[in-house]
Amino acid sequence: YTNFLTGMMPTELGKITNLQEFAAFNNRLNGTLPTDLGHLTALTSLDLRDNYLTGTLPTEFGHLTAMKKLIFENNVLKGKLPTEFGKLTA
């Protein structure tokens, strides 16, 4: 939630493999999304709206097979959805 978090998302988040939900919306996070988040195979909800994230969505997010909710609105992301998102079935 709104905590005035700043800077880039740490790649170490990808090591919390039993993480099921992560919300850091309405902060000041910037930079690209870490590809290591693709290791969070138990993750069902990721809410990063209203930040300053840039770049494209990592293809590694196709490994998030338990994912039910992805929210990235109001960032500066660009590009197409990776074809790997077709693997998301939850």
Side-chain angles (χ1 to χ4, degrees), residues 59 61-63 65 81-90:
T59 59
F61 279 25
H63 301 294
T65 54
L81 286 176
T83 57
E84 289 79 4
F85 274 43
K87 298 177 185 175
L88 303 178
T89 58

Side-chain angles (χ1 to χ4, degrees), residues 10-64:
T11 59
E12 291 80 10
L13 280 174
K15 295 179 181 176
I16 310 172
T17 55
N18 59 344
L19 186 65
Q20 295 180 350
E21 295 183 7
F22 185 77
F25 58 87
N26 199 21
N27 284 285
R28 295 179 183 134
L29 298 173
N30 60 39
T32 59
L33 291 163
T35 58
D36 293 359
L37 294 180
H39 299 294
L40 303 176
T41 55
L43 196 64
T44 60
S45 176
L46 180 61
D47 188 347
L48 297 171
R49 66 187 139 151
D50 300 321
N51 281 288
Y52 299 97
L53 299 169
T54 59
T56 59
L57 296 175
T59 59
E60 290 81 1
F61 279 25
H63 301 294
L64 304 175

Side-chain angles (χ1 to χ4, degrees), residues 62-82:
H63 301 294
L64 304 175
T65 54
M67 186 60 65
K68 294 181 181 177
K69 181 170 63 171
L70 285 168
I71 305 174
F72 296 113
E73 65 190 67
N74 294 322
N75 281 286
V76 195
L77 298 169
K78 62 180 179 179
K80 297 180 180 182
L81 286 176

